[in-house]
Amino acid sequence: MLGPKQGPKPTEDDLEALEGKAGFQIPDDYKAFMMECDGVAGGPWEIAIPGFDDLEVVAGFYSFGDPHSDIHRRLRLLQRNEGVEGILPIAWDDFNNLYAICVVKDQSKSIVFFDRENGSSYIVCDTFTEFLGMLRPPEEDIDQDDEAVASDAGSQPHVKLMRPSDCLAERDKVAPAIEARIFGVTDEEKWTSLVFGLMARWPGLEVVEGWPGAGKRSFVMSNIDTAAADDFADAMQNVPCVFACIAERAELDFRNEITRNFPHGHFSVAVGQTFANAAPGLFWRTFISGELADRLDIQLPAISRFAIGAVWRPDGGLWVRLYDHAADWREHVDTVDDYLLGALGLFSWIPAYRLAQEAASPIEMTRVLERSECA
C-alpha cells in the first residue's frame, strides 16, 4: 500500500543535504514524493522491467525516518564500499538488489536496476513518476475491483466523487478516542509549563512531537479521557501555538486523509497539516491564531458566527466549538464542509477529494496539499 509514513518527513533542506552527498540535483518528482511520504508504507510490488522475461519485485523504498531503510546509510555504504558515484538508491528488492536514480552518459537521469549478483545494470524508465506508474500489487492480490480500475486507467482517471458523508458510510466506526494536534509551538517556556500541568491532571496523557519546520514545533496529544474532553479543551485555550484542534481521532484521520486506488497500488495524502502550503480545517474544537488568519485570509468573525461557541484570545486568536460533543462529528460532516467550501483560507474535504480522484498519478495527487487547490 502506498501511503504516508508516520512521523517526521524530510524538508527541502534535508533533500538539499542529500543532493550534496549524492553529487547531483535530485529530480523534482522524487523530492515531492519524499516530502509527502518519506518512502512508502506497505508493499511489496511487482514491476515489469524492459528486456526481462519475468516480473521483478520492489520490496520497499529507502527513507529518512526509518532506521531499517535509512537512505543516507545506504548511500554511504555504496560510496565507501563499492566506490560508486552519480547514483541515489531509492528502493530495493528481496535479494538486496537496488533501484536507483542514476546520472547516465548524457548527464540525464534515469531509474536504473542494479543486479548485484551478476554486476549488471538495466535502465527501467526515464523518470520517477514513470517508475511509480509501473508498480502493481503481486498478481495474487489483484481482485476484480483492481482490474476494473486498471482497465479505466489507460483512457482516463478512475473517479468516484462523493459527499463526505457518503464516503464516511463506507468506513467502519471505531471506538471513540480524543486527540489534540498542535502546530507552530514557539514559546518553549509556556509550552513546558502547560504540558506539565496537563499531565499532572491527566496522568495517562501521551505527548509526541512531530512535523517540525520553520523554527516551530508541532505535537500530537493522545490518550485523552473522553469523559474529560471538555475540561481538557478548556485547559488548552492558553496553548502557545499557531493552530490547534481537538477531536475524535476518527474525525481527524477522516478529514485529513484523502485516499485513491491506482492500478499499481493504494495511495493517500494528508491534507491541511503543513501550513507553509496548506490550509487548516475545522474540527470539534479548533484554534486559529491571528497570525495564521492574516497569512491565509481566514475570516475569524465569520467562523465565530458559524460555531456554536467561540472564545477570543487577547492576541487575536480564536477558539471555536462546532458541535456539542466530539463524538457528534459524523452528524455534522456535510454541514461543516458546506461552510468550508465558501470560507477563505480553510481546507474543504470536497475539492481535495475531487482533485485526488482526478489525479493522473500519485505525484499529481499530492498537489491537493497546495492551499490554493483545496481552500
Side-chain angles (χ1 to χ4, degrees):
M1 180 178 73
L2 293 172
K5 298 177 79 72
Q6 298 298 314
K9 301 169 187 175
T11 64
E12 289 188 7
D13 289 342
D14 293 328
L15 289 164
E16 286 181 8
L18 184 64
E19 283 181 330
K21 293 180 180 180
F24 62 89
Q25 187 173 359
I26 299 173
D28 289 341
D29 53 359
Y30 181 69
K31 282 186 179 181
F33 174 77
M34 291 298 283
M35 291 175 71
E36 171 55 29
C37 299
D38 186 28
V40 279
W45 304 273
E46 290 180 343
I47 184 170
I49 297 178
F52 281 47
D53 294 331
D54 299 319
L55 293 173
E56 293 298 313
V57 171
V58 175
F61 283 77
Y62 289 111
S63 163
F64 279 75
D66 186 342
H68 299 293
S69 59
D70 185 270
I71 192 168
H72 284 285
R73 178 176 177 273
R74 180 73 267 177
L75 178 59
R76 185 169 62 250
L77 289 173
L78 283 173
Q79 293 174 336
R80 185 183 68 192
N81 298 342
E82 302 181 33
V84 300
E85 299 292 340
I87 76 169
L88 178 66
I90 59 173
W92 71 93
D93 71 2
D94 290 332
F95 301 98
N96 207 30
N97 298 313
L98 295 178
Y99 298 87
I101 297 172
C102 184
V103 178
V104 295
K105 292 181 179 179
D106 63 358
Q107 298 303 303
S108 64
K109 301 178 184 74
S110 299
I111 308 300
V112 176
F113 174 68
F114 290 89
D115 187 333
R116 308 182 74 191
E117 184 177 356
N118 61 29
S120 301
S121 61
Y122 308 87
I123 292 179
V124 179
C125 56
D126 292 331
T127 69
F128 181 73
T129 300
E130 288 180 67
F131 181 68
L132 283 182
M134 294 169 70
L135 302 182
R136 59 178 294 167
E139 194 67 34
E140 62 269 21
D141 293 338
I142 298 177
D143 58 22
Q144 292 182 347
D145 289 338
D146 293 322
E147 291 173 357
V149 172
S151 65
D152 287 345
S155 56
Q156 61 182 9
H158 180 74
V159 180
K160 185 179 181 183
L161 181 60
M162 292 185 286
R163 297 279 297 165
S165 58
D166 295 331
C167 188
L168 180 63
E170 296 188 352
R171 294 197 175 194
D172 294 332
K173 290 190 177 183
V174 297
I178 307 300
E179 185 173 281
R181 296 180 184 176
I182 300 99
F183 299 89
V185 174
T186 55
D187 191 321
E188 293 296 327
E189 183 177 349
K190 287 184 179 179
W191 169 257
T192 302
S193 174
L194 172 71
V195 170
F196 276 122
L198 292 173
M199 295 188 76
R201 189 171 176 185
W202 290 281
L205 191 66
E206 295 180 3
V207 183
V208 179
E209 183 174 0
W211 305 297
K216 298 178 180 180
R217 301 168 67 192
S218 301
F219 298 85
V220 172
M221 310 178 79
S222 54
N223 256 16
I224 300 169
D225 186 345
T226 54
D230 279 290
D231 290 340
F232 182 87
D234 291 340
M236 285 291 296
Q237 288 187 12
N238 293 318
V239 62
C241 68
V242 171
F243 177 83
C245 55
I246 308 170
E248 267 196 18
R249 182 173 182 178
E251 176 184 12
L252 291 162
D253 289 343
F254 170 74
R255 295 199 67 88
N256 283 126
E257 184 183 20
I258 307 294
T259 62
R260 166 82 185 278
N261 286 319
F262 285 92
H264 50 279
H266 179 82
F267 194 78
S268 63
V269 293
V271 184
Q273 295 192 9
T274 306
F275 298 117
N277 64 355
L282 291 177
F283 304 88
W284 172 54
R285 294 287 190 96
T286 304
F287 170 71
I288 301 173
S289 69
E291 171 197 341
L292 185 63
D294 290 342
R295 190 194 323 159
L296 301 183
D297 197 21
I298 299 171
Q299 305 300 307
L300 293 182
I303 296 176
S304 71
R305 292 190 292 270
F306 172 74
I308 66 170
V311 176
W312 288 92
R313 284 210 320 205
D315 58 6
L318 177 68
W319 273 96
V320 295
R321 177 183 185 138
L322 295 187
Y323 28 88
D324 289 328
H325 304 289
D328 294 341
W329 68 275
R330 296 172 189 276
E331 304 166 25
H332 298 272
V333 63
D334 281 337
T335 301
V336 171
D337 227 74
D338 284 341
Y339 172 78
L340 292 172
L341 276 169
L344 290 176
L346 292 172
F347 153 65
S348 172
W349 189 93
I350 293 174
Y353 182 89
R354 173 180 52 79
L355 288 165
Q357 301 307 311
E358 292 176 350
S361 69
I363 295 298
E364 183 177 317
M365 181 175 164
T366 63
R367 293 176 185 167
V368 302
L369 287 171
E370 298 174 8
R371 182 174 66 85
S372 59
E373 298 287 349
C374 64

